[in-house]
Amino acid sequence: MVTNLLNRLIGLFISEQDEKADMDTKVKSLLLNIASLSFSLIVLAEGIWALVLDRAELAIPFLSLSFLLAISHLYLRKFTGLIHQNLLLSILFLACVFFVLLGGNTELGIVWVLFFPFFTTAIRGRRTGYRWTAILVLFMLAHFFFIQNLSPFFQQYSTESSIFYLILFVFSIIIAFAFQFIRSEVLLEKERIILDSQNKNKAQEDLLSKLSHQIRTPLSNITGIIDMLESTSMNDEQKDYINTIHASANNLVSVVNNLVLTSKSNPADSQEITNFSLYNTLNNVLRLFPYEESKVRFNLSLAPDIPTQLTGNNIKIKQILLNLINSIIRENKADQKHITLEVVKVESMPDRVELIFRIISDFIYSSKKDNHSEEGFFNYQDLVKLNAGKIINYLDLGITQKMIEVDGHSLNITPQPDQTIFEFGATFSTASSNFANIAASDKSRNSNTTFKTIVDMKDAHILLVEDNFSNQQIINLYIRNKVKKIDFAFNGKEALEKFGMAKYDLILMDVQMPIIDGFKATIKIRELEKSTNTRVPIIAVTANAFPEDKERCLASGMDDYISKPFQPEELIDKIKQHLSS
């Protein structure tokens, strides 16, 4: 009860800024508000007390200062920039000056000055805080030995009391600097650990990318040769051997693919965009958990303002929901389980709609060891995020969380005494707007002056750009009987030279090549095509298999992408598609 009350009290001092601000900014905001409000109350109390005692020489300056501090507190609730910090410290410094000069109603007002070093170092750091406190020390010395004798209204300090207050102030400076030093070291160590972790993850991803590329190239040759061998005449024993090798090669391909997908910060995201019924999609997901096997009672609730038809990646939504529900059911030990799936619309634009998917389950997470439950965090959101992180780890939802975050959303988990709520967002476009976009695209395509001739595959003249001779031979074996002619280039420079001398119906382009890589070659080809109003389809054939690799290929001007190793039919289908479209 007391902890909750204190949490609410501290919450009043938190700035009205973005919740995603870093911890150092939040701490400074908290200290700014505590300093401004606390000093406002202290100075106001001194001013009111002076009025009661009929001491106008104290009441006027203290009431004026309390007004300035109150204004600065309200102002700093929304702004915590450098100029606002300096403004607050200036007013606090002025208040301390008055406490030293006038002593307050009890003649012990100088005691409040001892808090000044803590606020200056915490708000502006040790170096700037040192300057502020040094100026205040100089003023105190000047007052003790010179200024206090200039007016009868000024507080008089004896030599002993002056030395005593100076020693106390020096001690407060030392303690404030030590506290700030420890805090800075802790923050630096935390940043170092995070940076090291990020660097290790980046190095791991780079290593996996290189290993994936190096493995896929020879693996593509192996699978290609196996495909060729299967089409030859063999006895039964040889066929068994080839089938075994083929199955092992396919398993190795799956291992490499899974290694790539699970190692990325942003897991691979299927780009299958289709029109679908949200109700049918969700209903099909829930039907995969029959009561006889899962012992779960499902409730499905869709807000009435959600469009009937949506356009987006429904396969990804299915996968996220399957992962979440599977994990919840697996770890829920209750004999009778209940899960409610709610979908509400939170934002809508003319062509887009944002939905919130909420899974309410009677699953209860009980941590075996919780060292924070009684500590009384000042920020309740930090405790919620900590518990959510524990649940994500417990339910093994790391990949699911990344699938959600790759679209700019987040997986929020709210544990309650009798239930746990899982919530994530997703953005779709409406089916009608999608059709409109398709129609607009068709219209613009028809009005475009870029010409492309439909070519039958058997009459096609293809340029294969590949720096690896073995890969050239494998792809040549795949398609040589399907097309009219194939020319070869070992790098982007040769490809550009051949492109300028012959007319090609399609280009198969490798990415990583010497002299000029596939990206630069594609960009140059697209520039050359502008003068002829033509466009040759370019398909990237590469061992780079990460999601961003495909995006980079398409961004450079390529029309499609296929990663090694691949099945011959897959490459042939893509060639047919782009020759006839």
Side-chain angles (χ1 to χ4, degrees), residues 478-511:
Y478 282 165
I479 64 174
R480 66 182 181 182
N481 296 325
K482 305 288 185 180
V483 300
K484 180 179 180 180
K485 185 179 180 181
I486 304 175
D487 287 345
F488 301 94
F490 284 90
N491 54 63
K493 183 175 181 295
E494 289 186 17
L496 290 172
E497 293 173 353
K498 291 181 178 290
F499 181 80
M501 294 186 296
K503 180 181 180 299
Y504 294 102
D505 300 305
L506 185 137
I507 299 175
L508 298 176
M509 181 76 73
D510 189 18
V511 171

Side-chain angles (χ1 to χ4, degrees), residues 213-229 245 249 253 466 468-478 541 543 564-566:
H213 186 276
Q214 293 171 0
I215 292 173
R216 286 173 182 275
T217 299
L219 190 57
S220 178
N221 295 339
I222 293 172
T223 56
I225 293 298
I226 292 173
D227 290 329
M228 296 298 103
L229 286 174
I245 297 174
V253 172
E466 170 65 67
N468 187 291
F469 180 75
S470 298
N471 291 343
Q472 279 190 6
Q473 296 306 306
I474 293 297
I475 297 176
N476 181 45
L477 289 172
Y478 282 165
V541 184
K564 305 171 186 175
F566 49 83

Side-chain angles (χ1 to χ4, degrees), residues 219-505:
L219 190 57
S220 178
N221 295 339
I222 293 172
T223 56
I225 293 298
I226 292 173
D227 290 329
M228 296 298 103
L229 286 174
E230 286 182 332
S231 62
T232 63
S233 59
M234 295 180 291
N235 58 42
D236 293 340
E237 185 176 4
Q238 290 173 329
K239 288 181 179 179
D240 290 338
Y241 292 155
I242 290 298
N243 290 335
T244 302
I245 297 174
H246 204 169
S248 300
N250 288 335
N251 288 337
L252 184 56
V253 172
S254 299
V255 170
V256 174
N257 289 336
N258 291 332
L259 181 66
V260 170
L261 297 184
T262 57
S263 64
K264 288 298 291 176
S265 299
N266 294 327
D269 179 21
S270 171
Q271 298 297 323
E272 295 293 333
I273 305 300
T274 58
N275 295 330
F276 66 96
S277 166
L278 180 62
Y279 174 79
N280 291 338
T281 298
L282 301 182
N283 192 47
N284 290 337
V285 170
L286 300 183
R287 288 173 62 185
L288 295 175
F289 301 92
Y291 178 77
E292 294 75 14
E293 298 179 7
S294 61
K295 304 299 181 184
V296 180
R297 297 290 185 186
F298 287 101
N299 291 320
L300 177 59
S301 174
L302 269 68
D305 56 347
I306 297 177
T308 305
Q309 293 289 323
L310 297 174
T311 302
N313 192 345
N314 66 327
I315 296 177
K316 179 177 179 179
I317 294 299
K318 285 182 180 179
Q319 189 61 55
I320 293 173
L321 292 174
L322 286 172
N323 292 351
L324 286 170
I325 296 174
N326 260 322
S327 300
I328 294 170
I329 293 175
R330 183 181 66 246
E331 300 299 336
N332 192 345
K333 307 304 180 184
D335 295 332
Q336 179 68 51
K337 310 175 185 69
H338 297 275
I339 292 179
T340 299
L341 175 56
E342 296 180 352
V343 186
V344 297
K345 185 173 73 172
V346 293
E347 188 176 345
S348 181
M349 298 177 65
D351 58 343
R352 301 183 71 83
V353 59
E354 183 174 347
L355 304 180
I356 293 295
F357 294 80
R358 186 178 296 116
I359 298 176
I360 305 172
S361 168
D362 54 358
F363 160 78
I364 304 298
Y365 170 73
S366 56
S367 177
K368 296 180 180 179
K369 184 178 180 181
D370 189 352
N371 297 324
H372 306 285
S373 58
E374 300 298 331
E375 290 185 3
F377 279 39
F378 75 85
N379 191 344
Y380 176 73
Q381 293 299 324
D382 290 339
L383 187 58
V384 171
K385 292 176 182 177
L386 178 64
N387 291 333
K390 291 180 179 179
I391 296 175
I392 289 173
N393 182 62
Y394 179 74
L395 296 180
D396 194 18
L397 295 173
I399 295 178
T400 304
Q401 183 184 29
K402 292 176 183 177
M403 292 175 65
I404 296 171
E405 290 177 346
V406 75
D407 290 332
H409 299 281
S410 59
L411 174 60
N412 299 317
I413 303 178
T414 307
Q416 297 180 355
D418 57 345
Q419 64 183 15
T420 304
I421 302 175
F422 301 79
E423 188 176 274
F424 67 93
T427 304
F428 305 93
S429 57
T430 59
S432 58
S433 68
N434 181 261
F435 293 143
N437 291 336
I438 294 175
S441 175
D442 292 340
K443 182 178 179 180
S444 62
R445 187 181 302 168
N446 293 335
S447 61
N448 201 323
T449 56
T450 298
F451 298 101
K452 180 181 174 301
T453 306
I454 297 176
V455 180
D456 192 271
M457 187 170 180
K458 64 182 181 181
D459 299 323
H461 186 188
I462 291 178
L463 174 62
L464 173 58
V465 189
E466 170 65 67
D467 64 322
N468 187 291
F469 180 75
S470 298
N471 291 343
Q472 279 190 6
Q473 296 306 306
I474 293 297
I475 297 176
N476 181 45
L477 289 172
Y478 282 165
I479 64 174
R480 66 182 181 182
N481 296 325
K482 305 288 185 180
V483 300
K484 180 179 180 180
K485 185 179 180 181
I486 304 175
D487 287 345
F488 301 94
F490 284 90
N491 54 63
K493 183 175 181 295
E494 289 186 17
L496 290 172
E497 293 173 353
K498 291 181 178 290
F499 181 80
M501 294 186 296
K503 180 181 180 299
Y504 294 102
D505 300 305

Side-chain angles (χ1 to χ4, degrees), residues 511-528:
V511 171
Q512 292 187 0
M513 295 181 295
I515 306 178
I516 297 179
D517 62 31
F519 299 120
K520 294 179 181 177
T522 300
I523 294 173
K524 186 62 178 177
I525 289 173
R526 294 307 183 211
E527 291 176 353
L528 294 173

Side-chain angles (χ1 to χ4, degrees), residues 565-578:
F566 49 83
Q567 297 297 323
E569 295 79 10
E570 184 180 0
L571 177 61
I572 292 171
D573 288 343
K574 285 185 177 292
I575 293 174
K576 287 181 178 179
Q577 174 188 345
H578 288 282

Side-chain angles (χ1 to χ4, degrees), residues 201-216 256 259-260 263-264 512 543-546 548-549:
N201 290 337
K202 183 65 169 63
Q204 182 184 24
E205 290 178 3
D206 292 342
L207 176 61
L208 286 171
S209 178
K210 294 178 181 177
L211 286 175
S212 172
H213 186 276
Q214 293 171 0
I215 292 173
R216 286 173 182 275
V256 174
L259 181 66
V260 170
S263 64
K264 288 298 291 176
Q512 292 187 0
N544 296 338
F546 287 110
E548 59 266 29
D549 294 322

Side-chain angles (χ1 to χ4, degrees), residues 54-257:
D54 199 20
R55 298 183 62 183
E57 74 279 6
L58 292 179
I60 294 174
F62 280 131
L63 289 176
S64 301
L65 278 174
S66 66
F67 175 75
L68 291 176
L69 286 167
I71 294 297
S72 69
H73 172 71
L74 296 175
Y75 186 57
L76 288 166
R77 289 283 294 173
K78 295 184 178 180
F79 305 98
T80 56
L82 184 61
I83 186 173
H84 313 112
Q85 295 173 9
N86 287 331
L87 175 63
L88 173 62
L89 288 178
S90 300
I91 299 175
L92 292 178
F93 179 84
L94 187 60
C96 291
V97 166
F98 274 102
F99 276 121
V100 174
L101 282 175
L102 305 176
N105 294 286
T106 61
E107 300 182 354
L108 295 176
I110 192 173
V111 174
W112 299 115
V113 176
L114 301 178
F115 293 99
F116 187 72
F118 292 93
F119 289 118
T120 56
T121 55
I123 293 172
R124 292 302 316 278
R126 282 171 287 170
R127 181 174 298 179
T128 306
Y130 169 78
R131 297 185 184 131
W132 282 95
T133 52
I135 295 172
L136 187 57
V137 168
L138 292 176
F139 175 79
M140 291 174 66
L141 288 171
H143 178 78
F144 292 153
F145 296 105
F146 302 106
I147 300 176
Q148 65 180 356
N149 299 319
L150 299 179
S151 172
F153 293 105
F154 293 158
Q155 178 65 36
Q156 302 294 314
Y157 299 95
S158 64
T159 304
E160 293 79 5
S161 60
S162 298
I163 295 174
F164 175 74
Y165 286 129
L166 282 173
I167 292 174
L168 279 182
F169 194 72
V170 170
F171 269 110
S172 70
I173 293 174
I174 294 173
I175 295 172
F177 274 56
F179 175 80
Q180 182 63 18
F181 176 81
I182 295 172
R183 175 175 170 270
S184 299
E185 290 299 312
V186 170
L187 289 175
L188 285 174
E189 179 66 15
K190 180 180 178 182
E191 290 180 4
R192 184 190 67 78
I193 293 173
I194 293 174
L195 185 60
D196 288 346
S197 176
Q198 291 175 342
N199 290 337
K200 288 179 181 178
N201 290 337
K202 183 65 169 63
Q204 182 184 24
E205 290 178 3
D206 292 342
L207 176 61
L208 286 171
S209 178
K210 294 178 181 177
L211 286 175
S212 172
H213 186 276
Q214 293 171 0
I215 292 173
R216 286 173 182 275
T217 299
L219 190 57
S220 178
N221 295 339
I222 293 172
T223 56
I225 293 298
I226 292 173
D227 290 329
M228 296 298 103
L229 286 174
E230 286 182 332
S231 62
T232 63
S233 59
M234 295 180 291
N235 58 42
D236 293 340
E237 185 176 4
Q238 290 173 329
K239 288 181 179 179
D240 290 338
Y241 292 155
I242 290 298
N243 290 335
T244 302
I245 297 174
H246 204 169
S248 300
N250 288 335
N251 288 337
L252 184 56
V253 172
S254 299
V255 170
V256 174
N257 289 336

